[in-house]
Amino acid sequence: MYYKLNGVTQRLTGAPANAYNPQGLRPSVPPVSPPAIFASPTKLASEAGGQVEYMGPNRVQEMQKLFQKADGVPVHLKRGLIDKLLYRTTMGLTVGGAVYCLVALYLAAQPGNK
């Protein structure tokens, strides 16, 4: 036996077999899916001769050499000036936010004027 939810009483009630039509499974024309954008190769595999080239060159090996070099620099600062600026900006915002929170807590702890 099939059941359906009664919208008025919010209870399950019996339903005939032909009334079984769950949400999302209604008979309709299947939609055409759009082509994938991000992981689509720039050439077909048959055109590239078995070698598929994605959105850019593979730079994993050169990045591994850069980040695994034992030069005493932390890994989050290995790429130079931009990394230093991002790191210092993040630390400044963190310290500023902590100070702002402490000031807000101090002001909230003061008794109100009567």
Side-chain angles (χ1 to χ4, degrees):
M1 179 171 194
Y2 294 104
Y3 297 96
K4 67 178 183 177
L5 183 68
N6 187 330
V8 177
T9 62
Q10 296 297 313
R11 294 179 185 220
L12 289 177
T13 59
N18 61 357
Y20 181 67
N21 200 3
Q23 183 179 7
L25 297 178
R26 301 192 194 303
S28 65
V29 177
V32 177
S33 61
I37 295 173
F38 297 107
S40 60
T42 55
K43 297 179 185 176
L44 294 175
S46 60
E47 295 173 0
Q51 187 177 18
V52 178
E53 185 178 323
Y54 288 94
M55 296 299 180
N58 187 0
R59 300 185 315 165
V60 172
Q61 290 178 345
E62 65 185 60
M63 289 295 169
Q64 283 178 341
K65 288 178 187 175
L66 174 71
F67 288 118
Q68 292 177 356
K69 191 180 348 174
D71 54 1
V73 179
V75 72
H76 58 275
L77 299 175
K78 290 253 186 186
R79 293 187 66 188
L81 180 65
I82 301 284
D83 282 350
K84 289 179 185 175
L85 288 175
L86 286 171
Y87 177 74
R88 290 179 182 162
T89 302
T90 303
M91 288 299 111
L93 288 171
T94 302
V95 169
V99 169
Y100 180 76
C101 286
L102 291 174
V103 168
L105 282 172
Y106 176 75
L107 292 176
Q110 299 301 317
N113 294 336
K114 289 187 178 183

